[in-house]
mmCIF file of all heavy atoms in Angstrom:
data_model
loop_
_atom_site.group_PDB
_atom_site.id
_atom_site.type_symbol
_atom_site.label_atom_id
_atom_site.label_comp_id
_atom_site.label_asym_id
_atom_site.label_seq_id
_atom_site.Cartn_x
_atom_site.Cartn_y
_atom_site.Cartn_z
ATOM 1 N N TYR A 32 88.732 105.871 75.392
ATOM 2 C CA TYR A 32 90.113 106.126 75.837
ATOM 3 C C TYR A 32 90.783 104.782 75.905
ATOM 4 O O TYR A 32 91.950 104.691 75.363
ATOM 5 C CB TYR A 32 90.082 106.749 77.321
ATOM 6 C CG TYR A 32 89.343 108.170 77.276
ATOM 7 C CD1 TYR A 32 88.015 108.226 77.584
ATOM 8 C CD2 TYR A 32 90.075 109.241 76.942
ATOM 9 C CE1 TYR A 32 87.430 109.535 77.649
ATOM 10 C CE2 TYR A 32 89.459 110.515 76.982
ATOM 11 C CZ TYR A 32 88.173 110.531 77.311
ATOM 12 O OH TYR A 32 87.482 111.819 77.289
ATOM 13 N N ARG A 45 93.742 106.253 81.230
ATOM 14 C CA ARG A 45 93.956 107.559 81.988
ATOM 15 C C ARG A 45 95.120 108.338 81.294
ATOM 16 O O ARG A 45 95.047 109.523 81.352
ATOM 17 C CB ARG A 45 94.431 107.126 83.348
ATOM 18 C CG ARG A 45 93.429 106.201 83.967
ATOM 19 C CD ARG A 45 93.242 106.441 85.429
ATOM 20 N NE ARG A 45 92.609 107.679 85.745
ATOM 21 C CZ ARG A 45 91.778 107.823 86.694
ATOM 22 N NH1 ARG A 45 91.376 106.769 87.351
ATOM 23 N NH2 ARG A 45 91.249 109.010 86.967
ATOM 24 N N MET A 51 94.321 114.006 76.113
ATOM 25 C CA MET A 51 93.189 114.706 75.514
ATOM 26 C C MET A 51 92.958 115.918 76.426
ATOM 27 O O MET A 51 92.465 116.909 75.849
ATOM 28 C CB MET A 51 92.039 113.727 75.533
ATOM 29 C CG MET A 51 92.155 112.578 74.511
ATOM 30 S SD MET A 51 92.462 113.222 72.816
ATOM 31 C CE MET A 51 90.830 114.042 72.503
ATOM 32 N N ALA A 52 93.008 115.828 77.719
ATOM 33 C CA ALA A 52 92.704 117.007 78.570
ATOM 34 C C ALA A 52 93.755 118.079 78.256
ATOM 35 O O ALA A 52 93.415 119.330 78.285
ATOM 36 C CB ALA A 52 92.803 116.574 79.989
ATOM 37 N N ARG A 65 84.309 108.172 76.925
ATOM 38 C CA ARG A 65 84.461 107.018 77.920
ATOM 39 C C ARG A 65 83.659 105.737 77.352
ATOM 40 O O ARG A 65 82.954 105.938 76.511
ATOM 41 C CB ARG A 65 83.822 107.545 79.170
ATOM 42 C CG ARG A 65 84.496 108.671 79.742
ATOM 43 C CD ARG A 65 84.042 109.111 81.167
ATOM 44 N NE ARG A 65 83.275 108.109 81.894
ATOM 45 C CZ ARG A 65 82.834 108.402 83.110
ATOM 46 N NH1 ARG A 65 83.253 109.433 83.751
ATOM 47 N NH2 ARG A 65 82.164 107.568 83.751
ATOM 48 N N ALA A 66 84.113 104.640 77.994
ATOM 49 C CA ALA A 66 83.566 103.417 77.531
ATOM 50 C C ALA A 66 81.983 103.339 77.940
ATOM 51 O O ALA A 66 81.300 102.663 77.349
ATOM 52 C CB ALA A 66 84.213 102.286 78.291
ATOM 53 N N LEU A 71 81.403 114.071 77.914
ATOM 54 C CA LEU A 71 82.228 114.803 78.831
ATOM 55 C C LEU A 71 81.455 115.784 79.680
ATOM 56 O O LEU A 71 80.847 116.722 79.110
ATOM 57 C CB LEU A 71 83.379 115.535 78.232
ATOM 58 C CG LEU A 71 84.418 114.616 77.636
ATOM 59 C CD1 LEU A 71 84.461 114.589 76.129
ATOM 60 C CD2 LEU A 71 85.816 114.921 78.230
ATOM 61 P P DG B 21 95.201 109.357 100.980
ATOM 62 O OP1 DG B 21 94.222 109.635 102.060
ATOM 63 O OP2 DG B 21 95.310 108.087 100.217
ATOM 64 O "O5'" DG B 21 94.849 110.458 99.781
ATOM 65 C "C5'" DG B 21 94.971 111.925 100.080
ATOM 66 C "C4'" DG B 21 94.764 112.780 98.807
ATOM 67 O "O4'" DG B 21 95.832 112.611 97.919
ATOM 68 C "C3'" DG B 21 93.511 112.370 98.046
ATOM 69 O "O3'" DG B 21 92.797 113.529 97.725
ATOM 70 C "C2'" DG B 21 94.001 111.631 96.902
ATOM 71 C "C1'" DG B 21 95.364 112.224 96.686
ATOM 72 N N9 DG B 21 96.306 111.342 96.044
ATOM 73 C C8 DG B 21 96.667 110.074 96.428
ATOM 74 N N7 DG B 21 97.525 109.526 95.606
ATOM 75 C C5 DG B 21 97.821 110.497 94.677
ATOM 76 C C6 DG B 21 98.767 110.445 93.582
ATOM 77 O O6 DG B 21 99.468 109.463 93.293
ATOM 78 N N1 DG B 21 98.745 111.635 92.914
ATOM 79 C C2 DG B 21 97.876 112.683 93.175
ATOM 80 N N2 DG B 21 98.120 113.747 92.346
ATOM 81 N N3 DG B 21 97.056 112.709 94.249
ATOM 82 C C4 DG B 21 97.067 111.544 94.916
ATOM 83 P P DT B 22 91.419 113.406 97.064
ATOM 84 O OP1 DT B 22 90.568 114.577 97.477
ATOM 85 O OP2 DT B 22 90.895 111.998 97.256
ATOM 86 O "O5'" DT B 22 91.707 113.589 95.559
ATOM 87 C "C5'" DT B 22 92.278 114.854 95.075
ATOM 88 C "C4'" DT B 22 92.649 114.786 93.584
ATOM 89 O "O4'" DT B 22 93.709 113.898 93.290
ATOM 90 C "C3'" DT B 22 91.472 114.347 92.776
ATOM 91 O "O3'" DT B 22 91.284 115.223 91.668
ATOM 92 C "C2'" DT B 22 91.934 112.922 92.182
ATOM 93 C "C1'" DT B 22 93.443 113.149 92.182
ATOM 94 N N1 DT B 22 94.227 111.947 92.294
ATOM 95 C C2 DT B 22 95.188 111.556 91.244
ATOM 96 O O2 DT B 22 95.498 112.441 90.456
ATOM 97 N N3 DT B 22 95.793 110.398 91.344
ATOM 98 C C4 DT B 22 95.530 109.428 92.346
ATOM 99 O O4 DT B 22 96.256 108.457 92.245
ATOM 100 C C5 DT B 22 94.608 109.739 93.338
ATOM 101 C C7 DT B 22 94.269 108.773 94.350
ATOM 102 C C6 DT B 22 93.920 110.949 93.148
ATOM 103 P P DG B 23 89.836 115.289 91.037
ATOM 104 O OP1 DG B 23 89.406 116.733 91.093
ATOM 105 O OP2 DG B 23 88.977 114.207 91.610
ATOM 106 O "O5'" DG B 23 90.210 114.750 89.612
ATOM 107 C "C5'" DG B 23 91.028 115.631 88.739
ATOM 108 C "C4'" DG B 23 91.597 114.828 87.606
ATOM 109 O "O4'" DG B 23 92.408 113.801 87.949
ATOM 110 C "C3'" DG B 23 90.406 114.237 86.674
ATOM 111 O "O3'" DG B 23 90.661 114.520 85.310
ATOM 112 C "C2'" DG B 23 90.577 112.752 87.003
ATOM 113 C "C1'" DG B 23 92.122 112.641 87.301
ATOM 114 N N9 DG B 23 92.413 111.487 88.137
ATOM 115 C C8 DG B 23 91.800 110.944 89.289
ATOM 116 N N7 DG B 23 92.326 109.917 89.771
ATOM 117 C C5 DG B 23 93.492 109.659 88.888
ATOM 118 C C6 DG B 23 94.467 108.590 88.985
ATOM 119 O O6 DG B 23 94.460 107.706 89.788
ATOM 120 N N1 DG B 23 95.313 108.690 87.965
ATOM 121 C C2 DG B 23 95.325 109.698 86.990
ATOM 122 N N2 DG B 23 96.258 109.600 86.071
ATOM 123 N N3 DG B 23 94.410 110.651 86.938
ATOM 124 C C4 DG B 23 93.498 110.593 87.979
ATOM 125 P P DA B 24 89.920 115.721 84.742
ATOM 126 O OP1 DA B 24 90.791 116.779 84.297
ATOM 127 O OP2 DA B 24 88.861 116.086 85.759
ATOM 128 O "O5'" DA B 24 89.242 115.059 83.502
ATOM 129 C "C5'" DA B 24 88.046 114.307 83.635
ATOM 130 C "C4'" DA B 24 87.802 113.558 82.262
ATOM 131 O "O4'" DA B 24 87.628 114.395 81.329
ATOM 132 C "C3'" DA B 24 88.911 112.653 82.055
ATOM 133 O "O3'" DA B 24 88.559 111.394 81.706
ATOM 134 C "C2'" DA B 24 89.634 113.338 80.845
ATOM 135 C "C1'" DA B 24 88.429 114.023 80.127
ATOM 136 N N9 DA B 24 88.876 115.259 79.479
ATOM 137 C C8 DA B 24 89.435 116.359 79.941
ATOM 138 N N7 DA B 24 89.636 117.315 79.029
ATOM 139 C C5 DA B 24 89.316 116.728 77.849
ATOM 140 C C6 DA B 24 89.212 117.201 76.593
ATOM 141 N N6 DA B 24 89.676 118.428 76.186
ATOM 142 N N1 DA B 24 88.722 116.384 75.571
ATOM 143 C C2 DA B 24 88.202 115.190 75.966
ATOM 144 N N3 DA B 24 88.233 114.678 77.208
ATOM 145 C C4 DA B 24 88.769 115.488 78.068
ATOM 146 P P DC B 25 88.013 110.338 82.893
ATOM 147 O OP1 DC B 25 86.587 110.432 82.919
ATOM 148 O OP2 DC B 25 88.912 110.645 83.998
ATOM 149 O "O5'" DC B 25 88.481 108.918 82.339
ATOM 150 C "C5'" DC B 25 89.164 108.701 81.187
ATOM 151 C "C4'" DC B 25 89.369 107.183 80.965
ATOM 152 O "O4'" DC B 25 90.039 106.608 82.079
ATOM 153 C "C3'" DC B 25 88.023 106.459 80.770
ATOM 154 O "O3'" DC B 25 88.163 105.441 79.714
ATOM 155 C "C2'" DC B 25 87.845 105.747 82.083
ATOM 156 C "C1'" DC B 25 89.229 105.580 82.580
ATOM 157 N N1 DC B 25 89.368 105.565 84.082
ATOM 158 C C2 DC B 25 89.870 104.471 84.720
ATOM 159 O O2 DC B 25 90.244 103.509 84.011
ATOM 160 N N3 DC B 25 89.960 104.369 86.136
ATOM 161 C C4 DC B 25 89.415 105.434 86.727
ATOM 162 N N4 DC B 25 89.458 105.393 88.106
ATOM 163 C C5 DC B 25 88.867 106.604 86.167
ATOM 164 C C6 DC B 25 88.862 106.631 84.778
ATOM 165 P P DG B 26 87.100 104.408 79.469
ATOM 166 O OP1 DG B 26 87.154 104.156 77.989
ATOM 167 O OP2 DG B 26 85.806 104.945 80.117
ATOM 168 O "O5'" DG B 26 87.556 103.192 80.324
ATOM 169 C "C5'" DG B 26 88.759 102.550 80.046
ATOM 170 C "C4'" DG B 26 88.730 101.073 80.471
ATOM 171 O "O4'" DG B 26 88.971 101.073 81.898
ATOM 172 C "C3'" DG B 26 87.389 100.391 80.239
ATOM 173 O "O3'" DG B 26 87.703 99.050 79.778
ATOM 174 C "C2'" DG B 26 86.721 100.454 81.631
ATOM 175 C "C1'" DG B 26 87.891 100.462 82.602
ATOM 176 N N9 DG B 26 87.501 101.236 83.735
ATOM 177 C C8 DG B 26 86.998 102.411 83.932
ATOM 178 N N7 DG B 26 86.926 102.935 85.080
ATOM 179 C C5 DG B 26 87.441 101.865 85.864
ATOM 180 C C6 DG B 26 87.651 101.719 87.257
ATOM 181 O O6 DG B 26 87.345 102.639 88.180
ATOM 182 N N1 DG B 26 88.301 100.538 87.620
ATOM 183 C C2 DG B 26 88.663 99.650 86.773
ATOM 184 N N2 DG B 26 89.351 98.546 87.267
ATOM 185 N N3 DG B 26 88.529 99.713 85.439
ATOM 186 C C4 DG B 26 87.950 100.859 85.009
ATOM 187 P P DA B 27 86.394 98.126 79.446
ATOM 188 O OP1 DA B 27 86.783 97.497 78.188
ATOM 189 O OP2 DA B 27 85.172 98.899 79.543
ATOM 190 O "O5'" DA B 27 86.452 96.978 80.573
ATOM 191 C "C5'" DA B 27 87.636 96.490 80.946
ATOM 192 C "C4'" DA B 27 87.558 95.666 82.202
ATOM 193 O "O4'" DA B 27 87.405 96.567 83.249
ATOM 194 C "C3'" DA B 27 86.233 94.806 82.265
ATOM 195 O "O3'" DA B 27 86.630 93.457 82.685
ATOM 196 C "C2'" DA B 27 85.313 95.473 83.301
ATOM 197 C "C1'" DA B 27 86.343 96.199 84.213
ATOM 198 N N9 DA B 27 85.681 97.469 84.703
ATOM 199 C C8 DA B 27 85.012 98.447 84.069
ATOM 200 N N7 DA B 27 84.605 99.419 84.834
ATOM 201 C C5 DA B 27 85.053 99.080 86.152
ATOM 202 C C6 DA B 27 84.946 99.516 87.396
ATOM 203 N N6 DA B 27 84.385 100.721 87.647
ATOM 204 N N1 DA B 27 85.549 98.978 88.425
ATOM 205 C C2 DA B 27 86.159 97.784 88.180
ATOM 206 N N3 DA B 27 86.324 97.166 87.184
ATOM 207 C C4 DA B 27 85.728 97.800 86.070
#
Side-chain angles (χ1 to χ4, degrees):
Chain A
Y32 298 94
R45 311 215 64 143
M51 290 302 293
R65 302 188 7 178
L71 287 112

